């Protein structure tokens, strides 16, 4: 076995166990690493290169200040006027959440709820959970549910899509500017500032710091079991890790995590079956998503319904090449590449292949991170439908294609989340042991 597969050797991050250090399992390849005190450097897995733990460069004071700033900006984003359209003296205004109304008006309730969830509910809930965690972990005796509160904060991260909506707004702005006079309202600027504040806030709060702080304050499910953690090396197959606080612990599936009390898992339950089912469902819906029109735009009797691909061609035809490339990449290329990538990973896992394990693991992370950007076109259609309501003069009506397309995006995101890249390493290890026996 060559070293490029990453199977030989089992490097350790920080040597032996140290006081206060907790074992952490790499989410990419399942390597058990011990991380010590927080440092100024990001810790990457020495085997697969996936980020294990981000550096903690800021105090919780900065994290709290940024969370408060982001909350104020989110509030401003939601109440201030977003864009106003002027067609032959008639005006139509909108707020950020009008994007949801644009779908609801035409009976496309599932997308209206999706837009509302990703644009308003998920960001607001995340900020609430973040503020609760930051305030609560400063108390002398923090309650143990703070572990779960912050875990939900992390789980909601991919579903809070303000930055994707911002790009969707840029796409729709260019299409609106072709049609009439557009005025960008203060809500749009507040949205841009909120996106920046939220990114900075995400950079200042490191999950491992939260878990450590709660542990240091005695907020523990089973202190005795945590103290008895055996020194390395463990057999990786004997280790389960906590889905909530990521503590790796030598114990069986379903045993309570000694730190936060959640059930430990060796691997994500039914990962392969769930990933296959969700990916196949997404692939099936990809056809109607591209066959039915995503919207019908008309101006003075001109224009008509068009599909995603026709929409891209139209943008390119108007000379807006960078925009056409963005929409093509997000709407056509990303879903196809995601599904193909997942299929390759699932098949390679089944065959126990050791080829390009590191590359596959990194591709998985990339696939899991990029999926949300496919919502760009859905958001753009919502904004257009909410603003362009001038009857026979000009109108945009969202189509069934948008509904199927939004379903494809959600299903591919869930499929990527369901898959467990550690299974690729397990399968290769098992194959390797078989060959040696
Ligand atoms: Zn790794
Ligand atoms: Zn835990």
């Amino acid at each position: 076995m060559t070293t490029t597969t990453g199977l030989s050797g089992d490097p350790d991050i920080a040597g032996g166990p140290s006081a206060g250090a907790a074992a952490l399992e790499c989410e990419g390849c399942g390597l058990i690493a011990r991380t010590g005190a927080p440092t100024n450097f990001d810790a990457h897995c020495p085997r697969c290169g996936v980020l294990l733990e981000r550096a903690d460069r800021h105090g919780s004071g900065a994290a709290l200040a940024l969370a408060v700033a982001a909350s104020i900006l989110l509030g401003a984003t939601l109440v201030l006027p977003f864009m106003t359209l002027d067609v032959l003296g008639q005006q139509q205004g909108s707020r950020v959440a009008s994007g949801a109304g644009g779908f609801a008006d035409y009976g496309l309730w599932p997308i209206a709820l999706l837009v509302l969830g990703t644009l308003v509910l998920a960001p607001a809930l995340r900020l609430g959970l973040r503020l609760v965690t930051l305030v609560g972990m400063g108390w002398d005796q923090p309650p143990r549910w703070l572990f779960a509160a912050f875990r939900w904060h992390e789980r909601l991260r991919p579903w809070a899509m303000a930055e994707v909506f911002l790009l969707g707004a840029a796409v729709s702005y260019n299409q609106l500017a072709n049609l009439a006079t557009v005025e960008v309202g203060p809500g749009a600027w507040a949205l841009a500032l909120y996106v920046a504040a939220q990114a900075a806030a995400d950079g200042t709060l490191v999950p491992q710091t939260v878990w450590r702080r709660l542990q240091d304050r005695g907020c523990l499910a089973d202190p005795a079991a945590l103290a008895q953690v055996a020194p390395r090396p463990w057999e990786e197959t004997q280790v389960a890790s906590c889905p909530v606080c990521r503590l790796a612990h030598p114990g069986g599936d379903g045993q309570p995590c000694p730190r936060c009390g959640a059930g430990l898992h060796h691997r994500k339950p039914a990962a392969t079956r769930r990933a296959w089912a969700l990916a196949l469902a997404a692939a099936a819906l990809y056809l109607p998503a591209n066959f039915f029109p995503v919207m019908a735009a008309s101006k003075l009797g001109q224009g008509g319904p068009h599909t995603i691909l026709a929409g891209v061609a139209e943008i390119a035809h108007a000379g807006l090449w960078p925009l056409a490339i963005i929409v093509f990449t997000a709407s056509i290329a990303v879903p196809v590449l995601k599904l193909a990538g997942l299929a390759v990973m699932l098949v390679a896992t089944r065959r126990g292949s050791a080829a390009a394990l590191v590359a596959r693991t990194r591709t998985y992370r990339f696939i899991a991170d990029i999926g949300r950007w496919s919502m760009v076109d859905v958001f753009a259609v919502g904004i257009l439908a909410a603003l362009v309501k001038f009857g026979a003069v000009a109108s945009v009506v969202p189509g069934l294609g948008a509904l199927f397309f939004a379903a494809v995006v959600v299903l591919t995101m869930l499929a990527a989340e369901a898959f467990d890249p550690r299974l690729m390493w397990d399968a290769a290890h098992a194959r390797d042991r078989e060959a040696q026996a």
Side-chain angles (χ1 to χ4, degrees), residues 158-159 161 275 279-280 282-283 286 329-330 332-346 363-375 407-419:
W159 301 98
M161 300 189 186
L280 287 174
Y286 187 74
T329 309
I332 310 267
V334 166
V336 170
L337 290 176
K338 265 191 83 164
L339 288 173
L342 272 175
V344 167
M345 285 170 205
L346 284 161
T363 308
Y364 168 75
R365 283 266 35 111
F366 182 70
I367 280 179
D369 290 340
I370 201 168
R372 50 213 293 281
W373 288 94
S374 296
M375 282 292 283
V408 170
V409 178
V410 170
L411 286 169
T412 50
M413 282 177 73
L414 291 173
E417 219 174 87
F419 182 65

Side-chain angles (χ1 to χ4, degrees), residues 147 241-247 257-262 264:
F147 277 108
S241 73
C242 176
V244 175
C245 74
R246 288 187 65 201
L247 180 80
C257 166
R259 185 153 64 183
C260 73
L264 298 170

Side-chain angles (χ1 to χ4, degrees), residues 306-330:
H306 65 68
T307 59
I308 294 173
L309 199 58
V312 173
E314 209 166 89
I315 298 172
H317 193 69
L320 302 166
W321 279 100
L323 213 59
I325 292 169
I326 289 173
V327 177
F328 179 82
T329 309

Side-chain angles (χ1 to χ4, degrees), residues 26 28-29 31 45 48:
C26 170
C29 71
L31 180 77
C45 172
C48 75

Side-chain angles (χ1 to χ4, degrees), residues 36-277:
T39 65
N40 280 327
F41 301 97
D42 291 344
H44 290 266
C45 172
R47 187 162 67 179
C48 75
V50 162
L51 184 68
L52 278 173
E53 191 174 358
R54 266 187 298 133
D56 193 358
R57 298 188 184 88
H58 313 269
S60 53
L64 191 59
L66 279 165
V68 171
S71 306
I72 293 168
L73 286 166
L74 180 63
T77 302
L78 295 177
V79 295
L80 293 174
F82 183 58
M83 277 198 223
T84 309
L85 192 63
D86 190 317
V87 176
L88 307 173
Q90 286 187 63
Q91 286 202 337
Q92 176 76 42
S94 76
R95 295 186 204 289
V96 162
S98 305
F103 289 113
D105 289 347
Y106 297 97
L108 296 170
W109 279 99
I111 325 185
L113 293 176
L114 182 65
V115 173
L116 211 60
T118 52
L119 202 59
V120 182
L121 292 182
L125 209 55
R126 279 197 84 208
L127 279 169
L129 291 169
R130 172 183 292 245
L131 288 169
V132 164
T133 308
L134 281 167
V135 171
M137 75 189 196
W139 294 341
D140 285 338
Q141 284 183 316
R144 231 177 44 230
W145 53 258
L146 284 180
F147 277 108
F150 192 67
R151 170 61 178 169
W152 274 103
H153 172 274
E154 291 298 291
R155 286 189 102 169
L156 283 169
R157 185 193 291 261
W159 301 98
M161 300 189 186
E163 63 274 38
V164 184
F165 184 84
L166 194 61
L167 186 61
V171 170
S172 66
Y173 175 84
N174 275 284
Q175 282 164 314
L176 289 168
N178 269 346
L179 193 80
T181 317
V182 202
E183 200 184 302
V184 175
W189 301 116
L191 175 67
L193 288 173
Y194 161 72
V195 167
Q198 182 61 43
D202 276 336
T204 52
L205 188 56
V206 178
Q208 290 304 316
T209 301
V210 176
W211 313 142
R212 272 198 205 100
R213 185 79 59 87
L214 290 174
Q215 179 175 339
D216 290 348
R217 296 206 180 239
C219 178
L220 291 169
D222 188 351
L226 191 66
Q228 281 167 9
V229 170
R232 284 201 77 224
W234 299 325
E235 274 288 325
E236 280 169 25
T237 47
Q238 293 169 350
V239 175
S241 73
C242 176
V244 175
C245 74
R246 288 187 65 201
L247 180 80
H249 193 71
D253 264 21
Q255 275 189 20
C257 166
R259 185 153 64 183
C260 73
L264 298 170
H265 282 299
H266 178 54
R267 295 292 178 255
K268 290 182 193 170
T272 321
R273 237 180 317 144
R274 287 178 51 224
W276 265 124

